[in-house]
Every structure is written in C-alpha cells, then in structure tokens.
Amino acid sequence: RKQTSLDMYDYFTGPRDIQKHSKWPLILQMHGSITPKLIVPLLIAGGWASAVTVITMKVYSLRVDSVLLTILGFVVGLSLSFRSTTAYERYAEGRRYWGMLIMASQTLGRTFWIHAEDPKGQDPRETLLQKISAMNLIVAFSVSLKHALRFEPYSAYPDLQYLIGHLNTFAKEATLADPNVTSIKRKNIFKSTGEYLGVSFATSNPRKLLKKTDRPLGNLPLEILSHLAILIDRMSANDQLPVPMQQTVAYNHLIMMNDVMVGCERVLNTPLPIAYTIAISQITFIYVMLLPFQLVGPLEWIAIPATIAAGYIIFGLLFIGQEIENPFGHDVNDLPLEIYCDQIAHDLDIIAAYDKREPDSFLL
Amino acid sequence: RKQTSLDMYDYFTGPRDIQKHSKWPLILQMHGSITPKLIVPLLIAGGWASAVTVITMKVYSLRVDSVLLTILGFVVGLSLSFRSTTAYERYAEGRRYWGMLIMASQTLGRTFWIHAEDPKGQDPRETLLQKISAMNLIVAFSVSLKHALRFEPYSAYPDLQYLIGHLNTFAKEATLADPNVTSIKRKNIFKSTGEYLGVSFATSNPRKLLKKTDRPLGNLPLEILSHLAILIDRMSANDQLPVPMQQTVAYNHLIMMNDVMVGCERVLNTPLPIAYTIAISQITFIYVMLLPFQLVGPLEWIAIPATIAAGYIIFGLLFIGQEIENPFGHDVNDLPLEIYCDQIAHDLDIIAAYDKREPDSFLL
Amino acid sequence: RKQTSLDMYDYFTGPRDIQKHSKWPLILQMHGSITPKLIVPLLIAGGWASAVTVITMKVYSLRVDSVLLTILGFVVGLSLSFRSTTAYERYAEGRRYWGMLIMASQTLGRTFWIHAEDPKGQDPRETLLQKISAMNLIVAFSVSLKHALRFEPYSAYPDLQYLIGHLNTFAKEATLADPNVTSIKRKNIFKSTGEYLGVSFATSNPRKLLKKTDRPLGNLPLEILSHLAILIDRMSANDQLPVPMQQTVAYNHLIMMNDVMVGCERVLNTPLPIAYTIAISQITFIYVMLLPFQLVGPLEWIAIPATIAAGYIIFGLLFIGQEIENPFGHDVNDLPLEIYCDQIAHDLDIIAAYDKREPDSFLL
Amino acid sequence: RKQTSLDMYDYFTGPRDIQKHSKWPLILQMHGSITPKLIVPLLIAGGWASAVTVITMKVYSLRVDSVLLTILGFVVGLSLSFRSTTAYERYAEGRRYWGMLIMASQTLGRTFWIHAEDPKGQDPRETLLQKISAMNLIVAFSVSLKHALRFEPYSAYPDLQYLIGHLNTFAKEATLADPNVTSIKRKNIFKSTGEYLGVSFATSNPRKLLKKTDRPLGNLPLEILSHLAILIDRMSANDQLPVPMQQTVAYNHLIMMNDVMVGCERVLNTPLPIAYTIAISQITFIYVMLLPFQLVGPLEWIAIPATIAAGYIIFGLLFIGQEIENPFGHDVNDLPLEIYCDQIAHDLDIIAAYDKREPDSFLL
Amino acid sequence: RKQTSLDMYDYFTGPRDIQKHSKWPLILQMHGSITPKLIVPLLIAGGWASAVTVITMKVYSLRVDSVLLTILGFVVGLSLSFRSTTAYERYAEGRRYWGMLIMASQTLGRTFWIHAEDPKGQDPRETLLQKISAMNLIVAFSVSLKHALRFEPYSAYPDLQYLIGHLNTFAKEATLADPNVTSIKRKNIFKSTGEYLGVSFATSNPRKLLKKTDRPLGNLPLEILSHLAILIDRMSANDQLPVPMQQTVAYNHLIMMNDVMVGCERVLNTPLPIAYTIAISQITFIYVMLLPFQLVGPLEWIAIPATIAAGYIIFGLLFIGQEIENPFGHDVNDLPLEIYCDQIAHDLDIIAAYDKREPDSFLL
C-alpha cells in the first residue's frame, strides 16, 4: 500500500501523499504548488501590463496616481483572507469528518470482532465468514462514501465491487443496466490541458454522471447503513452483545457514520455563497488590472515584472482557496481519501488479526 | 426532481441550485452575483462623483487632501470584514442545522422502518400504511419548518397539505377560517422591481402574514413534534423497539429535531445587533461619499470611474452580507431549503425501499 | 403579545423588537442606532478640534506631521475589531443559551404533558391541575432567570409573582420583609437623560439592589430547579415515565436548564478583562484627540468636520461594543428576554393544547 | 461575603471583584489598568527617544526615512492581535471551566441532597451529618483546585483545612511533615515593588513551592475525586439513587469535575509557545526603539511624546496579553477564583436549605 | 521525574519543560526562541541586501519606488497571520487531545481501581497483580501513542518495553526480527548542525523508519485498545462493575482514547495544504528579496540593517509557524509528550495509592 514513487501522472493530479518527503526548500517545491493554474491568468496580466507600459512610455501617458491602490489594497487583502479562511475551514471540516469515520470504523470493528460474542450453536467457520463479511461492510461504507463525494454513483468500481457486489442496491441495478458507465473515458489532450490550467471553459460539470441517467441511483452509503443497522439489530436480538453499553456503542457509531455522510455532503454542496466567490474574483481581477496604470508612473518599465509578481501573489492565494474549497476531489491539494479508505481496511485487519484470548493471559 | 433549465424567473429569485454548472469564468458570471442590488447605490455614487468632479474642474475646487482616506480605510475594511464574517456565520449555522435535520430524519426513518418490529397481530397492510404515515410525518416536519422560517404560518401549501392535512393543528384551523390566505398575490411590477433592486421603501415586512391575523397560528413544527412524540411513546410501549438503545436513538433524534427548530429560529430572529448594521452602513456610505473630494485632486476626471469602482467593491461586500444574514429566504444566495426537503423525502424513500431481510442473506 | 406600536418610551429603551420593520434605508434609521450615546463624546471632540483649528489658523501653528496617524491607525483598527468581536461573542453566546432554554422548556413540557402517563387512581381534574402547575414551573424558571440576569432578586414582579408566589423561597421571604422593594422608583430627569447619553457619572451600579439588603436573597432560578428536580423524582418513582429514555430526557433537560443558568451568569459576570476595556478606550480617545493636530495641516478648516466624522466612526464602533457586552440589560440592542419568556409560555400552551390521542387516529 | 471596601492592598493585587462599580469614565479608571506595568518600559522608551532627539537636534542627524515604519507596522499590529486573541482565549477557557465546575457542583449537590433517598434504618441525625460531609467534599474540590492552580500543594490553608483536614491525603502528610510551609513569607519591599512593576528579575518562579520539597505532594483534587467516587459507588450500591438516570447524573458530573481539573491544568501549563512570546516581545521592542529615528525627522521635539504615546499603546496591549495568559493567578485582571469558590459553597447552602417536601405541596 | 538542570543538549532539542523559569526579560531569552533557524535565511538576506546596496551606491542605481511594498505588505501580513493561526490551531488541538487522554486515563484508572469490585473467590495477591497490570496497560497506551506520533513503530523503547513487552503485537514481532532497529544512530555533525539550522537538504524524512521495513508494523496503540476492550468486557461479564453507569464510563473512556489516537494522527498527517505552505514561503521570500531595492533609495546604507531587521521579524513568524505545525516532534517548542506520559503514570499511582475504605470513615 505504500506507494512512494512519483511518476508524472501522480505529479499533476490526485491528492498528494503526505508520506512523500521532499528535500527541496519550500520556496522551490513545485509538487502541490498552485503555479500551473496561474499560467493563464499571469499571461493575461503580463500582456496587459506590457501593453499599458509600452503605450505609456512610447505613445500616450496612461499614468494614474496610486492613491486608489492604497485604498483598495486593504479590502482586497481582507477579501483574500476571507476566501482562504472559509475554504480552509471546509478542508479542515472534511478532514475532521474522515477522522470521525476512521474512529467509528475502528470502534464498530472492535464491537463486531472483540466485544461481540459468537452466536451459540453456529458452525465456527460460518461465524468467521460472517464476521469477515461484517468487517467488509464497514470498509464498504467508507469506499462508497468516497465515490459518492466524487459524484460516482455506480457500484462497479474496482475498489468497491468486491465489497458490495452481492448487495441488492439501486447502484447495482443502475450499473447492471449500463455496464460501461464506470469505465473512465480518456479525455482528449486539449480538454485535459485546459482543465490542468484551470480554464473554466474546459471544465466539465463534476455532477455530469448524476445528470446523464434517468434511472434511480439511490444513495449507496445510506443503503449500506441500512444493512449495518439490520446487522446490529440481529446481534442485539441474539444476545451477542450482552453488556447494554456494547449495544449503545454499536448504535452510536452507526449514527456517527450517518453523521459523517451528511456532514461530508454538506461540505461538498455548500461552497461559499456564489455572490462572494464572484465578488472576490472580480475584486482581485479589477485590482490587478488597475495595477499597471498606477505602477507605470513610479516604476516605468519595472511595472511589468512588478504587476506579474503582485499578480502571482494575489491570484495564488485566490486560486488555492478555490481549489481546496471542495476537498474531496482529485486536485493535488485535496484530501487523500484513498489513503484513508486503505487505512480503515488496514486497521480493521489489525483488529481482526487479534486472537481473542482471556485477559488472564496478558494480565501477568 | 432535477431541474436544470434556467428560466428568467429562476435567474432572479429563489435560492440558486448548486447542481447548476456554468462554464463562464467566475468574474463574468451574473447568476447569483450581487450586481443587481448595486445598480441604485452605484447610480447615486456615480452621480455624486460626477457632480463633485464637474464642479471642481469647472467651477470651484472642492479638492481635499486624501489623508483621511488612509485613516478611515482600515476601519472600513475591518467593518466590512466583521459584516461578512458574522453574516456568513449565520449562513453556515443555518446550513449546519439543516444538515442535522437530514441526519435526524434519516435516523428516525431507519428507526421506524428498519429497527422497529412490526406490531404483533396487526394486519400487515395496515402496518405498512401506518409506517408510511410515520415516514410522512418526518418529511412534514422539515417542510413545515421551511414554511415557518419563511413566515408562512398556514397549512395549505401544496407541498405540505397532503402530508399534514389530516392532522388537527392550529394552522389548519386558521387556514380553514380564511382559505385564500395561502394564495400568493401577484406583486405589481413597480414593487417587484423595487424589491429586486433592493430599494428599502419597496420591501414589505417579511412578517406581514404573522401580523395580519388575529387567530392563533400555533407553531406547526412544534405540533408535528408532539405527534412524533406520541408515536415513539406508543412504539416503546408496544415493545416494537426491543433494544433499549433503539428507544434512545428515537428519543434523541426527536430532540435533535426540536434543537434544529429552535436553532433555525434563533438564526432567523437574531441578526447582527441593529446598531452594528446601521453603523456599518453609515461608515461605508460616508466613506464612498467622501471619496470624490479626495480623488478629484490626484485623479481629475478619472475620479468618476474610480469612485464607481471603489463603490462597487465596498458596497458589494456590504450587500452580500446583508443578503445572506437571513439564509432562509428567497434570495439567489440563500440556502435551497426546497432541495433539502426533497432530499429528505428521497432518502426516506430509499430507506423504505429496502426489503428488510435477515442478515444471513447478505453476510455471505 | 404582539406589540407593534412604537411609542416614545420604547424608542429609547428596552430591547428592540425584532418584529418591527422599518422602511427607511439603513443609513437613515435611528431606532437602535448608537447615535445618542455619541452626542457627548462628539461635542467634546468637535470643541477640541475647533479650538486646535482656530488657534492654528489664527494664533500659532499646532500643525504636526501625520506620520503617527498611519502608524497608530492600524493598532486602533485592530483594537476596535477585538472589542467588537469579543462583545459580539458574548451577545451571541447569551442568545445561544436562551435558545437552549427554549429547547429545554419545550422538551420538558413535552415530557410532562405528552410522554408522562397520568398517575393511576387520581382524580383527573387534580391531575390536570398538577400538570398545569408543572408547566408553570418551567415558565417560572425562564422568567426568574430573566430577573436574576437584571439583578432583580425579589419575587414580587408582576410576571413572576403568579407563577411562584406560592413557593417557599428566600426571594419570597426577602420580598415579604420589604414589600416596596420591587416598585421601581421614578428616576429624575437629569439622571435618566444622563444615562441615556451614556454619561458615566449618571450611571448607577446595576447591582445596587443586591448590595442594599442584608437579608439572604437566595438564588431563585436554582431554587426552582430544586422544585423541578423533586417533581421529576416523583414522576420516576410513580412509574409515570415508563420508558427509561423518558426519564433520561427529563433529567438531561433539567441539567440543561442548570447549564443555561450558569452560562448566562458567566456571560453577565465576565466582561472583557477591565485592562483591555480601559486600554481600548484610552487608545481610541488618544487617537481622536490627536487627529486635529495632524489634520489641520493638510485640511485646514475642514479638519473640524473631518475630526467629527472620524470620531463618529471610531467612537461608534467602540460604544456599540460596550453596549452589547452585557446582552441581558435594557439597552435598545440587548436581547429581548421578555419576548423569549413569552415564547416559552406560548409554546407550552401549544403543547398543552394538544389532546393526547392514540396515534392510530393520525396514522391514516 | 460581599466585600466592597477598596483598600490599598486590594487595589494593586488579587483579582478585581466584578461587583465593584466605578463612576469614572473608562479612560480615567486606574484600578485594573495595565499602567503600573508600563512605567519601566515607558521610562526606557522615553529616555531613548530623548537621547535620539537631543543628539539629532543638537549634535548629528540620526534621521531615517519612515518607510520601514509603514512596512513593519502591519506585522506589529497583527502580532499584537495574535497575542491578545490567544491570551484572551485562555482567559475565556479558564472561565468556562469554572462555569462547568459551578454547574457540576450544583448538580452533584442536588443529587446528594434532593435526588438521593436517605439510607434505610439509619439514625436521621447521622444521615444529616453525612450529607453535610458530602456537600463539603464538593466544596473542597473547587477550593483545592484553586490552590493547585496557584501552585500551593499543601492542605493547611485556612479555607481548605476545615474541609479536608480529616482526609488521608499526600498533601496532609506533606503538610504535617513541615507545618510552616503554608505560612506566607512577607516579601521585602524591593522585591514586591519590582514584581508590581513587572521587572522580570524580581519575579520568582511561581512553581517554587513544588520544586523545593522532596516529599510526594500527590494531587489533591484528584484524591478528592477518588473520595467522591467511593461515595457515589456506595450510594448506588445502597439503592439510594433508585432511578438509573440519577446514577448517570452523579457519575457524569464526577467526570465533568475531572474534566475541569485536567482542562484548567492544560490552560495553566500551555501558554503560547515560547517562541511566539519571545518573537512578539522582540518585534514590539524593536519597533518602538526604531520609532524615534523615524519620527524625529517630521516631528522634531514632538518625537519624544509621540514615541511615549505609541509605546503606551503598543506595550499596553502586549503586557495585558502576558498578564491574562495565566488567568488563575493573583493579578488584578485574573479570574476571581475565591468568589467562584464562595459561590459554590453558597449555592450548595441554598440547595441544602431546601426542605424536601412532596411535590403535592407546591403543585397547587 | 522533576528534571530542572539545563544542559546543552536540552537547550537545543526536545520540547522545553514548562517548569523551567527564566529571570531574563523575554526579549533577551534564547531558549525556545526561533533565532537559530533564522541564521541561514538572514545571512542570505543580508548578503543580498549588501550586494544591492553596494552596487547602487557605487556602480549603478537599482533604486525602485517603494509603492509596491505598501501594496504587498498587507497581503504578506495576512499570509503570516494565516500561517500562525493555522499552525497554532494544530498545536492547541494536539494539546487538547493529550488533555483528553490524561482525563480518560484518570477515569479509566479510577474505574479499574476504585469503582470495580474485586472478582469473587480470587486470591487477593493475584487480584492486586492483575489490577496493576491493568493500570500499566493504560500507561502503555499513552507511551505507545507518543512513539507512534514520532514515527517510532517498534516496541523495544526503554519506556515502553517493560509495559507491553509481554503482549503479542505486530510491533513486538517486527522488533524481534530486527533487534537493532530501536537503537538510535548517532547523526554526524554536519547533518545535525544542518538540521539545527533548518537547512532542508539536511532534514531526513521523519517517516523513514516506517518506509524502510517490509514487515507489517501494525498499529500499536490500536492493539493496546483491543486488549483494554477485552479487559472491560471481562469485568462487565464478571459483574465487577455492578452499576450500569460504571460500565458506561469504562466503554466511553475506551472510545475517548480511540478518539484521541485518531485525532492526534489527524493533526500529525494533515498540515496546512502544501499549496499554502509553498505560496506563503514564496510570498515572504519575494517580499524580503525585493526590500533592498526599495529601501536603498530612502535609507541608503541603512538599507542593509533595515532589511535584516525586517527579515528577522517576517521570517521569524513564518518559521515558528512551520515548527509548531507538527506539535508532536522533538523541537524546542513542541508539546512535552514525555511529561504528559509521566503525569499519567504519576496520577495512576496516586489513584492506586488510595486505600479503598468505606465512606463512613471520611464522612465524619
């Protein structure tokens, strides 16, 4: 599971793996930096600054006193700060929900594997099989949540199919009806370059898959919760959880999973109100576009690199905010949901590896 | 339920649907932008700036040194920041409560449909009917809360009537006494244009309906909670929830619904203290009105567009704050409560679609 | 209960009713604005600015370079921001506690009226009477908390006497010993004008009543909680709450009321540390007093209105912070505790109006 | 308990009593102000500014352009803001924990006195005595926590000895071994003046007492919790708390007390990371020391008072932050822990004053 | 356990002990200051500033108007503020989790030692031994969590081996397979000096140990939780916790430990998104590098110390943020996890020192 090689594809997409360590000083690191998204805007700003400067120096003075810059600088700064804070808040909240999910999965796993007593009179091999099935259901929840947060509503994804293929879900029916739907189409080079550069015209609607179909897609994580609910009901009815508090733990963490699901959907579907997003984009754009008029007076030719430097800083902060606002996607700075899903599976393996002995054996 | 066409009416009112995707760059998007509300203030600011500039250039110098601008700029910036932060906090809090409501509805739905055992000795068809009724009550709570948060106290709204028309509530009696009360009167064109442009004189009191009547209007969501309370009491008494923790879950999420109701009312009825709202409006207004005197010296004729640009940025941030402070209304940037209600209904359908089998069938 | 007329008295005191709607643009609204409190400071600042300007223009130059203004402007701005944020936080926290109180009252009311079974073998009329008494105790808690938060420690207030007059409390004994203590003395005109203008010398100690007496005043809300505790104990002992979770709900919300009481007292008794309050007042005062020396150079006579305008903005933000820091008082911007108490009474009436039927009647 | 006289000793030490009311305007109040701590730094800054100014005006120009001031002013402002926010956060958190402690004490007191039934077959006078002992244990916890937070690890303090003198604790043994340890040594006048002026060389290590001894000092609040735990175990075993929820309440609030203890220790032992504290001190110091060079150009002799005024504002905000960072000490602006302990004792008296009757007597 | 001597090694590494008290004024303190990490960057900035200044004064003017400084200063300031706030938040969150861990350990210790009844019919000496073993398991959890947070995945550390050496864990097997793995290799002098100076090329990947091995390393704290879970299950099954609430307390605090583990891992593995870290480093670097061009005009030779002073302040704030972002390491400003582990062990000793008597002995 530890993948440390850094190939080209990884470099530009997918959440960055926290385990990678770079020996370069931070100011020189490229992987994860927002620089690629800035190429187009900086080309525009640079061209504009050059035009203004050349015209001023050669043709006709477009110089304007810089009083406005000072006045608006403060509002621009606070807008960027607002943009960063609210985007980062979403990122942190998304992460906190996945932390809760890891916790709930571990606790539920411990409930199924350690707290729960084996049903009486059942073949031990069957019991073992059922326990493993139950553990898989827990993993399936996190994997299906990952897909749901990426607007992938089907069931036949390689990391999901073997976990829930046997369950009777809306997603399965929709997948069976159109088996090609989960095969990812190769994007043409223009489109993917455009997306990589952040050109809005090249970006498809991320909810495309949800809209294309007329079949009911259901809500896969919610349906898995229903299965887990039945499982816990049965365990309680069968007296497999003899201490009442064990039942409480089971139900509480089922609900915590539900909470995680609803919370992640909230983070996903509630960006900063669009009026703010538009206004802040406009403010920073206007500010940078007005820069060369006011810089060309005091700085002359240096106004061109100065505008680009200022644009780099200002657009940089703006674009990072827009990227991490939805922390569940495939951007380099997004949360590594795959790694979290792997960790849940790994931790459940550790819990299940535990040979349930009497405490007398380890209480010396 | 997926409505993606974008007609004119949608464009200017109603919360914007998050599922819509625009290919325009953010700085050029209009839908959801605050621009329309800025038309009137910017006309005023532009006229004022033109007057000051023309008088200064042609008649008598009104130039003033710009020292004051720098001094006050910082306070204006922090005031706008305070305005944005507190308004956005309300927006986010409102959203969080609706997230809790979705969660509580799903959990309560699961309790009614999956955890609960069927009452013994009852006709299965009657049981099914009662279960569907119970699920409808959950949906009714969210729909009635939506109407309550929009100051619509009656019961005969198309999305509510079929869910709670048979319940004996104050709202029903008030509706029966005056059946025309839920028909929305067509506003005349002047009034609706005025409202659209944010002219305060054209804005009616949103609580108009609550004040016009002398009948007791009750508190519809609270009354629905009472019905749900009785239902849960009966289920507990009938041993339909054999595991104590199932009862706990039911009561807890009933209380969570109550919490959501009170919390949303708090967000609705507790805007920023009016003294701040007034002071911040005055500060920004004074600041923009003083701009031309100080800009006309260094910028001359350019003072006019400069004042308008500064006004666009400053008033923009101010007005967005005032719009999203109450996130439950019909503004373009408000929370899409209809969509949340639809989602609750949809999720309950998914839970109810589940054929309650023994876990042995899916634990391979 | 809906009081919409706006007489003179209301205009200047008492928390403002959220239900009132003004058609004036925000910048022209007076009700709730901090302007009256600014009259005295602005007169001082204006006189000072006039003196400095007249002396400079006619007698001897007091001009000072404005470099200091820029340096300190930032610290002043951040201090005002700190003042606003911490004051508003108290306001919001106070509101949140009263939201919790509304919630706890509704839930406890529902427990008493709907969840609780009638005691066996008791005359139904007596049962009804006792239930109404129990509901009144819930209302009494919020009313007594309101009085406690306003330093009114007695029991004979018109809105409280009929609810708890029959209980044996310290407050009752103290009231009986000095029956005139709850009659509000008419303040003389100088004092009340002074208070209205915010002159510190005219402001009495709000805790005056607590200090004047030597009798034990007890802690009325805490004593009401003891009564409620006994009530719930009895209901549990009598098997009136047959589902354990119903008992849990009752005890939990009793404790939530206790939490609200302690939390509100905390908000009331823990203003911003006095060192900050003093320092921020001094900073803003020094800043405004230094303004005319630095403005008279560039602005000449305009320095006088400029100082007043800057003082309006700076003192305005400072004074709003000081006003809402204690959100439980009688200031125009304080929380409308009367309305919350009325709402609790009203909501309990709605719950009690509910005729407790079998769910079969509304589950179609 | 109400102590309103204001003698000299009170004026300069000990947390300020919130009940005191001053009629002076805030800008003239001294009690609680940070001014005394500023005397030494302002003398240094003033001397330095005078030297720079005199040399510049009489000997050799040390004038420097003020461009740096503007650049660094912003960072200084944000550092002070960070210092204030993080210090105030600790203050508020400390207060919140003491609010929780008051709440837990009241609830536990109510559990012992009202919810708990008397043990069967015990002499009522003995029962009463035991109940009073139990109430005293609750008070003892808060008093011992107060001493622990002030690094006073012994048991023979006047307000503690009568409550826990009979318990068998480490603190008691350590006290018995060295009975003089709790007598406070009179500090000499130089040291106490130095401390009052905030001279770091005169400040002793607050943890001195903890380090001087070699005996085990234990953890007095934790030991009192163990006693309370046994008490609650016995009450549960004896069926004195017949409703399960009453036991839950008791255990929960015992744990809440533990939470308060650990939380307060956290606030006490986790100041802002020392690197920040040092860096912010250095930044403000450098900034103020650089002021006269840059002010002497534009302001000439006025640079001296200007530096002092700026120093007053900047150092003032810095020092308040350092004072309230540990809110549990004896500084004027610290939390009045004595008053909270008194309030707990007082509230428990009120609960215990309650004559436990049948609810029929007050349910009319 | 109290270690107050301050040797050279301590001075430069390891979290600083809060108990140490320095009599130096804050601005002169070195221990804990970020100064060492600033040597390299300030040398670079100083050299650069010297070069620019010398060239400008002697060869060719590189003067640039300082308009850009003012424009970008604000964005730099807000970026540093964002960097500090988010880093400090992690620090505070890490500390809060360790506070929770202390609390959970104390409560679980009290449950095992005080609440739990001795198993019937067991040899008291064996019981005592088992109880001590159980207490050791609690300590082991915190110690193993400390090692896990420092990427030390084995079991043979001196402070851990004696506590869990007898347990059958993945870590133990991995340690047995390669016994030398826990011996710390002496770093060569260049590498350690480089690390001390914060040179990125000299910093090893902190996750090195995790990557080097191919054996399964398990998740030691999670495995200890499994052991504790079995222990609590047995105590519940044996009726050693006769009050249901005691079982609840035990399970809840087991889960709280799980929460702490997951939460600390979250803090550790979720730094600020790398795009922000890179962007903020670049912004501050660009800003400082541009300083000399703009300062050399107004300040001439003074531009060199001025650049260094500004660099000290700006880089200082930046580097502190980067240091405390991961608060669990060995930096001077990190959280003293060793001390917390010691405190847990110490507090459990105090609880276990308690001779469990009947309450009659201390209820006078």
Side-chain angles (χ1 to χ4, degrees), chain D residues 132-151:
Chain D
I132 292 173
S133 271
M135 299 298 256
N136 278 347
L137 266 184
I138 301 173
V139 179
F141 178 77
S142 59
V143 178
S144 71
L145 181 60
K146 181 192 75 179
H147 286 291
L149 293 174
R150 290 178 172 168
F151 309 114

Side-chain angles (χ1 to χ4, degrees), chain A residues 79-150:
Chain A
S79 300
L80 287 178
S81 171
F82 186 59
R83 168 80 277 188
S84 301
T85 316
T86 52
Y88 174 65
E89 204 182 276
R90 269 182 189 68
Y91 179 87
E93 211 174 3
R95 180 62 182 95
R96 207 166 293 127
Y97 278 118
W98 277 83
M100 278 169 65
L101 181 54
I102 293 173
M103 213 278 266
S105 302
Q106 290 173 348
T107 308
L108 221 46
R110 206 160 45 228
T111 306
F112 289 173
W113 202 270
I114 294 184
H115 294 319
E117 294 182 0
D118 292 345
K120 272 147 209 133
Q122 199 184 35
D123 179 351
R125 287 167 303 179
E126 201 188 328
T127 303
L128 190 69
L129 224 63
Q130 287 199 348
K131 276 183 147 185
I132 291 172
S133 270
M135 299 298 257
N136 278 347
L137 265 185
I138 301 174
V139 179
F141 178 78
S142 60
V143 178
S144 70
L145 182 60
K146 181 192 75 177
H147 286 291
L149 294 175
R150 290 177 172 169

Side-chain angles (χ1 to χ4, degrees), chain A residues 74 88 95 106 246 312 360, chain E residues 74 130 233 258 270 282:
Chain A
F74 196 76
Y88 174 65
R95 180 62 182 95
Q106 290 173 348
Q246 292 169 338
Y312 184 81
D360 290 321
Chain E
F74 196 75
Q130 287 199 348
D233 281 350
N258 201 338
T270 321
Q282 289 175 339

Side-chain angles (χ1 to χ4, degrees), chain C residues 156-262:
Chain C
Y157 303 102
D159 54 351
L160 189 57
Q161 176 68 21
Y162 77 101
L163 291 167
I164 57 130
H166 61 292
L167 300 183
N168 205 4
T169 58
F170 284 104
K172 186 186 180 184
E173 282 173 47
T175 310
L176 290 178
D178 182 1
N180 295 324
V181 83
T182 51
S183 65
I184 293 151
K185 253 177 283 172
R186 188 128 195 98
K187 286 168 184 165
N188 73 51
I189 182 75
F190 292 109
K191 200 165 165 66
S192 66
T193 308
E195 276 195 2
Y196 179 61
L197 295 175
V199 180
S200 70
F201 298 104
T203 317
S204 353
N205 185 348
R207 289 170 180 81
K208 201 167 48 177
L209 275 182
L210 303 185
K211 289 185 155 183
K212 261 192 351 197
T213 187
D214 287 334
R215 296 174 188 289
L217 292 168
N219 184 339
L220 191 50
L222 185 67
E223 293 171 70
I224 294 178
L225 282 186
S226 295
H227 286 85
L228 280 168
I230 287 182
L231 192 62
I232 294 173
D233 282 350
R234 218 257 303 250
M235 291 175 82
S236 304
N238 280 7
D239 275 330
Q240 288 180 263
L241 299 169
V243 184
M245 188 59 200
Q246 292 168 340
Q247 302 168 9
T248 303
V249 169
Y251 282 98
N252 274 347
H253 288 84
L254 181 74
I255 288 167
M256 191 184 273
M257 282 181 160
N258 201 340
D259 195 20
V260 167
M261 182 183 78
V262 173

